[in-house]
């Protein structure tokens, strides 16, 4: 098979033209081809640039600049009954992909998930968005699929790893559009990712994976050498050879239990801010010249004394309440596959260094509670960006998409003095890059859960440094942020267990 790089199509040209272009480049007919990568080159007249995989006769004679041999690598784990039990806490991207890989390899896998299955969870989330009744165990953060289930399900990552294709293949095998394998800013949308995750769960069940929904892990069983030999839930005790913890960044109670059990945990930097919302047309106007038809994204970064950046941008999306505890407010964003709300939103975050707080969870909690106390309900805090810049507090220029309503709040009180200046400088910079960013923008917040304030430190074998048998993974362990990086971390953990087994059994 050949990989041909650098095949170009104009923005409005149909992908069916690719075959013609490939054959023209090779001066021969091709048997089959598939797209491997696609990127937008907007340096001059914008074009899409493709890498394609091609099958044809006498391939060696075409090798050269832009045309290389492609040997597909089969990353599937070899199946063999392994006679070992792996318990996984948390069924977000890290838990899902760890379970997938371990089942593929022949382990006995038992998953414990604090929240409910998606259909029930969806009802709880919809009721919360409609009536403001929050279920602390079943919400945007907790339940089958984890935190990314009510999201834009953007699959962007800068990580280069062969298992990225493995993850995308699993999504495609369970119903995702095959285009996610190569689209430059692929996203699935909340409506689609829910169906895909349900199918993955059903498939894992068929293959013997045992699931315990609405049954959080409450404690660990440690032997005299501090090795984890089992876990405790409200239903009983369960023994295991390996315990994988993929509990996400909102599992305060479980982290507290880990601390009580003496597991080595360290502080890490966090980020804090608000969501900014604009008409999608303002963001698209920047791209008019490129004639790109989809709702456009942006990624903004300001390098001051501290970094300020846009995060988790949701084109054509809505701002959502993402809290998992009563008497707190946390914002985030999500989009449906069609990305057609007419509004664009993104978090704008400033870095908070670990030296600036004692306990990151307590620090963020205080802000989430302050927001609730100011609002008196789940209505989010809000202000026009222009008013924030000028220290005024006027009614919003436009209603937010946040479903539970908003109350006015002066975000000048939100940041430390030095951070306030940096955030304002950043917004001026963003306004130069996207004219109207200040005048047309409204702020909704607070946004506090973009990253986890702790890292459960692990060794080179991916186990906790002081508690063997415990494999911390994903965002809640401080080793990932986003669907793809956490899914990949789950696979890394499964591979580490697999590798250890091969060594012990001498295979
Ligand atoms: C609203 C929203 C939108 C997002 N949008 C995107 C996006 O578009 N693209 C992207 O890449 N990322 C997005 N993210 C971030 C992404 O979802 C997370 O980075 C990712 O889900 C983290 O994966 P994880 O497996 O580490 O943990 P999580 O997905 O957080 O899953 C952890 C799971 O553990 C469970 N749990 C907690 N405690 C216990 C316990 N004691 N026992 C058993 N189970 C427990 C929880 O119920 C939860 O289901 C979004 C996040 C949110 C909240």
């Amino acid at each position: 098979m050949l990989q041909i790089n650098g095949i170009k199509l104009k923005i409005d040209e149909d992908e069916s033209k690719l075959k013609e272009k490939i054959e023209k480049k090779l001066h021969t007919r091709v048997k089959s081809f598939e797209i491997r990568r696609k990127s937008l080159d907007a340096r001059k007249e914008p074009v899409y640039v493709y890498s394609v995989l091609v099958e044809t006769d006498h391939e060696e004679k075409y090798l050269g600049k832009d045309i290389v041999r492609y040997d597909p690598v089969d990353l599937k784990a070899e199946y063999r009954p392994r006679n070992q039990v792996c318990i996984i806490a948390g069924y977000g991207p890290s838990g899902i992909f760890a379970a997938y890989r371990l089942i593929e390899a022949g382990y006995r896998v038992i998953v414990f998930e604090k929240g409910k299955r998606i259909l029930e969870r969806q009802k709880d989330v919809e009721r919360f968005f409609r009536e403001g009744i929050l279920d602390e165990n079943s919400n945007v953060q907790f339940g089958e699929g984890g935190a990314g289930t009510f999201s834009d399900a953007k699959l962007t990552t800068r990580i280069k790893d062969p298992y990225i294709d493995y993850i995308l293949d699993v999504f495609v095998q369970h119903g995702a559009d095959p285009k996610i394998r190569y689209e430059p800013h692929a996203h699935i949308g909340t409506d689609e990712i829910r169906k895909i995750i349900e199918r993955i769960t059903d498939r894992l069940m068929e293959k013997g994976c045992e699931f315990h929904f609405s049954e959080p892990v409450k404690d660990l069983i440690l032997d005299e050498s501090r090795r984890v030999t089992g876990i405790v839930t409200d239903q009983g005790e369960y023994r295991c050879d390996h315990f994988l913890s993929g509990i996400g960044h909102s599992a305060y109670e479980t982290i507290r239990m880990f601390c009580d059990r003496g597991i080595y945990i360290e502080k890490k930097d966090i980020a804090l801010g608000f969501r900014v919302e604009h008409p999608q047309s303002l963001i698209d106007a920047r791209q008019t010249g490129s004639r790109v038809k989809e709702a456009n994204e942006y990624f903004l970064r300001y390098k001051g004394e501290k970094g300020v950046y846009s995060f988790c941008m949701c084109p054509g999306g809505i701002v959502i309440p993402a809290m998992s505890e009563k008497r707190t407010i946390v914002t985030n964003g999500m989009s449906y596959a069609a990305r057609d709300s007419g509004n664009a939103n993104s978090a704008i975050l400033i870095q908070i260094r670990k030296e600036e707080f004692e306990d990151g969870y307590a620090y963020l909690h205080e802000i989430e509670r302050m927001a609730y106390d100011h609002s008196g309900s789940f209505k989010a805090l809000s202000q026009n960006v222009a008013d924030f810049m000028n220290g005024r507090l006027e009614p919003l220029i436009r209603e937010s998409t946040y479903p539970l309503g908003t109350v006015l709040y002066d975000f000048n009180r939100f940041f430390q003095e030095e951070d306030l200046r940096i955030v304002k400088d950043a917004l001026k910079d963003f306004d130069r890059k996207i004219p109207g960013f200040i005048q047309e923008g409204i702020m909704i917040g607070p946004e506090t859960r973009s990253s986890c304030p702790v890292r459960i430190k692990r060794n080179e074998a991916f186990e906790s440094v002081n508690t063997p048998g415990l494999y911390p993974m994903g965002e809640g362990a401080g080793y990932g942020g986003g669907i793809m990086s956490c899914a990949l971390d789950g696979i890394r953990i499964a591979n580490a267990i697999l590798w250890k087994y091969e060594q012990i059994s001498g295979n």
Side-chain angles (χ1 to χ4, degrees), residues 361-375:
Y361 275 121
Y363 180 87
L364 294 175
H365 241 131
E366 201 178 308
I367 292 165
E368 294 166 7
R369 282 203 208 98
M370 172 285 292
Y372 186 91
D373 289 344
H374 178 87
S375 160

Side-chain angles (χ1 to χ4, degrees), residues 88-96 111-116 121 137 139-157 187 212 215-219 233 243 245-255 257-258 275 311-314 320-322 331-335 339 447 449-450 473-477 480-487 489:
I88 300 179
Y91 193 61
S94 62
I96 294 172
V111 174
F112 291 87
E113 166 53 53
K114 181 185 175 83
K116 301 179 188 169
R121 182 183 179 199
N137 295 312
N139 46 57
V140 166
Q141 305 287 350
F142 299 148
E144 181 183 9
T149 313
F150 295 88
S151 79
D152 184 31
K154 275 178 285 299
L155 302 177
T156 28
T157 174
H187 84 114
H212 296 243
E215 192 177 345
V217 170
K218 289 277 179 77
D219 204 353
T233 74
F243 172 58
S245 171
I247 54 175
H249 60 21
S250 295
Y252 302 152
E253 281 171 23
T254 313
I255 291 290
M257 179 271 281
F258 284 174
R275 247 180 207 240
F311 180 77
C312 189
M313 200 243 154
C314 295
I320 58 165
T331 54
N332 213 306
M334 81 177 193
S335 307
R339 284 184 166 173
E447 185 104 358
R449 305 240 186 125
S450 63
M473 61 181 181
E475 189 156 14
I483 294 169
M484 293 303 286
S485 70
C486 291
D489 203 47

Side-chain angles (χ1 to χ4, degrees), residues 109-139:
V109 179
I110 313 175
V111 174
F112 291 87
E113 166 53 53
K114 181 185 175 83
K116 301 179 188 169
R117 283 215 70 177
I118 283 179
L119 275 184
E120 294 165 77
R121 182 183 179 199
Q122 191 174 330
K123 284 186 203 146
D124 294 331
V125 169
E126 282 169 2
R127 188 179 57 156
F128 178 44
F129 285 11
R130 211 177 41 244
E131 298 167 33
I133 301 166
L134 175 67
D135 182 333
E136 291 186 311
N137 295 312
S138 176
N139 46 57

Side-chain angles (χ1 to χ4, degrees), residues 300-304 306-309 422 425-426 429-430 433:
L300 299 165
R301 179 172 286 278
Y302 173 75
K303 282 192 187 138
K306 278 176 158 191
V308 179
Y309 53 93
I422 300 170
D425 286 348
D429 180 55
F430 298 164
K433 291 169 180 156

Side-chain angles (χ1 to χ4, degrees), residues 447-465:
E447 185 104 358
T448 49
R449 305 240 186 125
S450 63
S451 61
C452 182
V454 297
R455 174 169 293 119
I456 308 177
K457 209 165 172 210
R458 51 191 198 201
N459 60 23
E460 51 303 332
F462 293 85
E463 284 171 289
S464 149
V465 286

